[in-house]
Amino acid sequence: MFLLTPLASAIGAMFTGVLGFPFYYWYSNKIQGQFLSGKYAEQSVSDEI
């Protein structure tokens, strides 16, 4: 069972992707993209070394 779990997980992920991607692609085109809302924090990169 320990060796079959990763294989079963990969097959399940592929199955979900094959079934889910066409719906996601259709819906995303229908609403003309994705809209993001909420609070976002800006991250800055400092030059401290």
Side-chain angles (χ1 to χ4, degrees):
M1 201 51 119
F2 179 73
L3 298 175
L4 294 178
T5 301
L7 180 62
S9 178
I11 291 172
M14 287 174 50
F15 187 70
T16 301
V18 167
L19 291 178
F21 181 75
F23 174 75
Y24 163 77
Y25 188 77
W26 169 79
Y27 186 72
S28 182
N29 283 333
K30 182 179 177 182
I31 64 170
Q32 299 174 350
Q34 296 181 0
F35 299 101
L36 301 175
S37 63
K39 295 182 180 180
Y40 299 93
E42 182 178 338
Q43 294 181 347
S44 62
V45 177
S46 63
D47 294 331
E48 298 176 16
I49 299 179

